Amino acid sequence: FTLELSAAGSTTPEGTTIEAYRWDIGGEIFEGEEVEYLVEEPGFLPVKLTVVNNLELESTVSVEVVAAIPGGDVTPWTATDLGDSDYPGAALLETSGESTCLRLHAGGAVASGTSDRVFFVHQSRDCDFEASVRIPGPTELPLRTQLGLMLRAGLDADAASVSLAVELSATALTRLRLRHRPVAGARATSIESIVFERDQMLANAWLRLRRADRAVEASTSLDGENWQPLGEVELDESFPREAEIGIVAAHQMRSFTELRPPISALACDVELECIDIPRFIRGEINNDGKIDVADPVYLLNWLATGGPALPCEAAGDGDGNGRLNITDAVRFLGWMFLGTTAPEPPISSCGLATLETDLELGCADPPPCSETP
């Protein structure tokens, strides 16, 4: 894009005239009162202007110009710079193969303190929801970068938040990290993370956040099909029902030794939808407040005789395949008495549904999740 610069506001003492304007823009020399400069790489551009009058007296001023890419229409998303960011972010819709992506340009810093300086592309939601995104080439992002999903109580820089993002540290490690700022002004602490060496060269990383009331569950995937729960956080009672959810991007451009360009990265296949997400305990089949042999017996009775109905069908799906049959009862009994493979999470205590099949089966009458059986 083209940067237009003008020295029309320059002055010289009365009785003299300006004879020359010399520009040094990023090491390239130009002359004239107004110049146009083709910016090939956005970022901070050093500009020096020298004005010379007819007495060969000269005055020089140096400034740092922010050469920022203009954003585009990303409806239904809204793009916002949060906090005192040193570089204005930009978002553009872009097609990559069969995918629609958000191209994000951002500066700022990883949201790890008591206040954020990030670029946020977001929508408001006042429901339980599922949000997911694919991050191409996560191990190839620049160092000191954060890119992923974020849920925020508001758009103040210090607002309570939950983020699940690809983070690249100064030591070249790639992390899929879950962070939580419980209340406004608190530090955004790391809850859980998965670490990859930079030479692993991941093709993609899928990230997913699910909210059910005050519970937020984070999952990751390397293929978009097999999801692994990373962690769960409990939102503070002050966290509003209507909140902002979207893509967060940040990149530390300044250091003691260098000035780096902003991040330019893709967030693809972004999905955000309201959804009924049950919170239940797998194996607590009869809703009597505990997990014991009576639960698989209750399931077997329902399978064999057709009643009584299961209060929470997802709780009876021991192997997570979306079908309720005798193998589920065998899975529970083997786990209880023989120490065989445990059922799919959540087990032993309440948690969000982690499988698509849980959502399909549903949970009409979940157990009281304030108690642990």
Side-chain angles (χ1 to χ4, degrees):
F1 60 97
T2 300
L3 183 67
E4 297 179 352
L5 300 171
S6 174
S10 303
T11 60
T12 186
E14 187 177 351
T16 65
T17 58
I18 296 176
E19 297 294 322
Y21 301 89
R22 290 197 298 270
W23 300 83
D24 183 336
I25 307 174
E28 296 185 51
I29 306 302
F30 301 86
E31 293 187 358
E33 185 180 37
E34 297 181 348
V35 298
E36 293 184 350
Y37 180 78
L38 182 62
V39 178
E40 296 181 353
E41 186 175 76
F44 299 112
L45 186 65
V47 176
K48 182 167 67 175
L49 170 64
T50 300
V51 179
V52 183
N53 68 9
N54 60 323
L55 300 179
E56 296 188 354
L57 299 176
E58 62 181 49
S59 178
T60 299
V61 61
S62 297
V63 296
E64 192 176 71
V65 175
V66 177
I69 291 177
D73 181 6
V74 292
T75 304
W77 302 92
T78 300
T80 305
D81 285 300
L82 300 180
D84 186 21
S85 179
D86 50 5
Y87 181 85
L92 301 162
L93 287 176
E94 186 172 307
T95 300
S96 177
E98 298 181 355
S99 299
T100 299
C101 305
L102 286 167
R103 168 70 68 178
L104 303 173
H105 301 267
V110 173
S112 59
T114 60
S115 183
D116 301 331
R117 295 188 297 118
V118 299
F119 184 53
F120 190 40
V121 182
H122 55 97
Q123 296 183 38
S124 295
R125 285 291 186 273
D126 61 356
C127 59
D128 292 342
F129 65 78
E130 177 178 292
S132 61
V133 63
R134 176 174 64 88
I135 307 297
T139 52
E140 300 175 33
L141 294 171
L143 302 183
R144 299 180 178 87
T145 289
Q146 180 183 41
L147 181 63
L149 296 168
M150 178 175 276
L151 169 67
R152 298 184 67 89
L155 298 180
D156 292 336
D158 66 348
S161 65
V162 178
S163 66
L164 174 62
V166 177
E167 294 186 11
L168 283 89
S169 67
T171 58
L173 291 176
T174 301
R175 286 181 171 87
L176 307 184
R177 191 193 297 272
L178 174 64
R179 291 185 182 271
H180 181 211
R181 179 183 294 127
V183 295
R187 180 169 293 277
T189 58
S190 177
I191 305 301
E192 296 287 349
S193 66
I194 303 173
V195 180
F196 299 93
E197 296 294 338
R198 200 163 174 81
D199 59 5
Q200 288 185 254
M201 301 297 291
L202 300 178
N204 294 281
W206 280 261
L207 310 174
R208 184 177 70 191
L209 286 179
R210 283 175 167 171
R211 179 181 182 179
D213 195 18
R214 297 210 320 270
V216 179
E217 180 251 359
S219 300
T220 64
S221 174
L222 297 182
D223 60 12
E225 296 181 1
N226 299 294
W227 292 90
Q228 297 297 322
L230 180 61
E232 184 176 322
V233 299
E234 191 78 12
L235 299 175
D236 188 78
E237 292 183 356
S238 62
F239 201 96
R241 181 62 176 167
E242 182 172 3
E244 302 297 320
I245 175 71
I247 307 299
V248 61
H251 175 56
Q252 184 179 333
M253 299 172 64
R254 297 180 185 271
S255 71
F256 293 112
T257 58
E258 62 178 328
L259 193 61
R260 295 177 287 268
I263 183 180
S264 176
L266 292 176
C268 297
D269 304 323
V270 184
E271 295 186 3
L272 173 59
E273 60 179 335
C274 292
I275 192 169
D276 182 18
I277 305 174
R279 198 169 188 225
F280 69 102
I281 309 169
R282 200 178 305 277
E284 221 294 64
I285 299 171
N286 61 5
N287 260 14
D288 66 352
K290 58 184 181 294
I291 296 178
D292 56 22
V293 69
D295 292 294
V297 170
Y298 192 96
L299 175 61
L300 288 170
N301 183 43
W302 176 74
L303 290 170
T305 67
L310 304 187
C312 178
E313 291 196 8
D317 189 15
D319 52 20
N321 65 1
R323 299 185 298 273
L324 298 177
N325 51 41
I326 193 171
T327 61
D328 296 301
V330 171
R331 179 79 170 259
F332 287 121
L333 289 168
W335 170 56
M336 291 177 186
F337 297 105
L338 301 177
T340 54
T341 304
E344 296 295 320
I347 55 173
S348 301
S349 61
C350 274
L352 294 181
T354 58
L355 305 173
E356 296 299 327
T357 51
D358 294 335
L359 302 181
E360 295 169 3
L361 287 172
C363 187
D365 185 15
C369 278
S370 59
E371 301 176 6
T372 300

